[in-house]
Amino acid sequence: MVITFVVFTQFVYGQMSNYKSLYIYNFIKRIEWPAVQTDEAFHIVIYGDRGTYESISKIADSKLAGDRPIEVEYIDDVEDILTADLIYVDFSKRKYIPKINSWIKNRPILLVSDYKNAKLTDINLIETSDGLEFVIRPELIRDKNLKLSDMLVQLAKTDNENR
Amino acid sequence: MISPFAMAQKEVQNMSTEEISQLTQDELLEMPLEDLMALVRRFKLSSLEELYEKVLNPEVKTASKFDEKYFESPLSISVITAGDIEASGALNVPEALRLIPGLIVRQKTNGNYDVHIRGNDNIPSGQTLFYSENSLTLVMIDERPVYNHFQGGTFWESLPVNMENIDRIEVVYGPSSALYGPNAVSGVIHIFTKRNDVKGVESSVVMQMGAEGSQDIQGNIAFGNNNFTARITANYQKLDRFQDEYFVFENHFDTVRKGRYIPSDSIKYFADNTDSKFPNPLRSSERKAANLYLYYQKAKDEGISFSAGIQQSDIQSIFFDTREFSLTGRQSLSGYGNLKYYYKGLNFNASYNLGEQNLALGYPGYEFVYGNFQSSLEYLYKWKNLKILPGISYQYVFYDDKRFLSKDEIGIFNGRQDLNNTAVFIRADYTLFEKLRLTAAGRWEWFKYPKEDYFSYQFTASYTIDEHSVVRGVYSKANRGPFMWDYHVNFSELSQYGNTSLMTNYNKNLELKLLEMHMFEMGFRSHLSRNVTADGSIFYNQTTNYNLPEGELYQLSQNSYQLEVKKQNLPLVSKQMGASLIVETLIVKHIHAKLFGTLQMTNIDKVTSRYDLNDTLVVIINNDSKIHKSTPTFTGGFNINYRGDSKFTANTDVYFLSTQDVFTYDGMKKINSKAIVNLKLGYRFYDQHQVFISGRNIFANDAYEFIFGDRVGAEFLLGVSLKWGKQK
């Protein structure tokens, strides 16, 4: 029975990586970054989750972030981050979130993680038994000079709801 | 005010799982986030339900001879899959069977086991150790019986199958001769190998080595396309004993043999020729095998498969009671071919197994060439709610010891001897109002010996109370097949007891009746919640036509005797009643747990626990107890497995046997209750490649599990599993 369980788990796991990527793409659509030159790529850094990296790379092949092309980079070491507009940190790399956050400071870089207890991130993706939800921290995002759509806030959970 | 999410959820909820899976990536990208969230919610719920269904209600085949859901099976059945086996770290099939409820699995020596379904073992008691061997269960690999027709039972070490190539093992409890022929008395253990769904190339190598000298390596390469699959597998395993001692019986002419364990370097003082009897005292098992599997599927309902393989094994275990030592060496070298063709409802199967076996190394007369051919043709006819499966079956077995006998030597058969049996059978399966399922199966079998026809049957009724609960009842009868020893033995053996000599002549008995079992069982399956299932049963069975060698002693001179031995049926009737329960759950998505136990009691009526030679000489003492205590009153286990998204896997299983009081010709012996705990931890270091540590009997509980057997301690194996290509 476990073999079907394992194969099935892997299938669900693959699908969830794709859904996470679609969520991230939706965040990009509903958050406004400070204006830059349109030929400058929108830079996404993925740390620790190859599945999500592969899924979001496929999205980047056909979609834009506003008017900007999307570039996706996978890093093995937190020191490899040179530039970014969005950083996604996998649960397995959660201990590096404080370090990444201090590197970002208040620059317009959205920090997303699927570690549900992360406190320093702008958005936490939360996989529950019946869905994929997210917690959003509007004040942190606004401090970075990023503009949030009201719809995104409405769809998100608050920190209090997540407890 | 209705939130956008709630509105979206309402729309997506109307989508089927199939519609969700058919959405393209572009459609998903254009979907508003609120719709996407609702979609994920729907996906997760349906995925979880599907996962519960796949894990807790898998497809099985052995109970009805066609695929059906576990919950719908009319018989008591259990299944373990490749994942269960891999997760557990079981090194061989019998060890994996400890994950299945109702199986009594006792280790005789490291890697060599005694396996019984529910019990009825060691009857009649107080005899040679051979009577502890299970000759009541039919074991099959891909519908090919792997049964030993010399004196019944299964030589587990001679199964050529790779552990990592087993797709699943199904166990059907209770008499099943009506479906599978003789020897499916206490049930059927059916091993299914991985099938024909390889696209491209896939391969794997699993290697592990233990601190106590265990070595195991298994390789597998397969390639295929939409219609054709070829697979080659090979395996090698070596296991050592944990002790240097042998249990030796002290010979007495008259009655009971007292025994004790002695170091291997002293055994030469207790018997002749010990170097050839035990050429490698510390080795318990060494075996190797290779298999080829070919599958061609022309259409969904038409295809052909062929498999062939060879194996060689060399073990020390308890089987043939030589009355010198409890252990004997056994060697096998064999090959097989198995052909299957199916077209719509038609199913043809034929297999042939040819080999050489030495059942007692160093003892003259126990070496043979043997062959076993079996074939069956059946047709499944379906009309509305009715399924009818008529069929015919033929089996031929021969043993030939001529090649291994020198001119003056007397063997067991002294040439080629054979047995055959032919059968017609039919099974009907009807479902009324989608609630009540009735099945009836009957099989008429003709044997070369005994010259008597046997009719076996199976009637079942199951009723679906609601979508969560099913009750079932079974009444069935099965018979064992004839054995070469019983119907063809023609053997003489000279024994010396001090200055007294005894010539024992073993004679065949063509009138010997075949053992038969009747069983009545009631069972209940229920989804206690969506992630917890329970399956319970109560059973009663009655077994008759046991047999025992009986002898007449003649005094030839003052110190010379002649004993004429012939097997005779006994009036003995064993009656067993018991109950079994299994509870299985996916605690959370990644944690699968199973708890099971079987409680039983066996009574033996009309016990003839004497072995009368003549008026003055009586071998074997009376058994005071009518309750047969050789079979453990309770057998159970617990298994929990973690396999999640992370790189770590973990599995632990516990197997428990309660106390056994074994009545032997060395008197009543107690074997204490025992729990065996195994643990396997794995880490996926790259892609599908994994390193693992597998602890067998991690608390080093080396208490005896089998009378006069070996103590087996803890073994920790370090291994690596390398897999390439998409693995099922």
Side-chain angles (χ1 to χ4, degrees), chain A residues 1-2 5 63 127-128 130, chain B residues 30 41 44 55 81 589:
Chain A
M1 275 169 253
V2 172
F5 166 56
K63 293 289 172 186
E127 192 180 339
T128 63
D130 55 5
Chain B
E30 295 306 322
R41 185 181 176 82
K44 292 271 287 187
V55 175
T81 66
K589 193 173 71 176

Side-chain angles (χ1 to χ4, degrees), chain B residues 499-501 554-562:
Chain B
N499 61 353
T500 304
S501 68
Y554 304 94
Q555 188 166 12
L556 304 178
S557 64
Q558 191 180 356
N559 293 321
S560 174
Y561 292 84
Q562 182 175 317

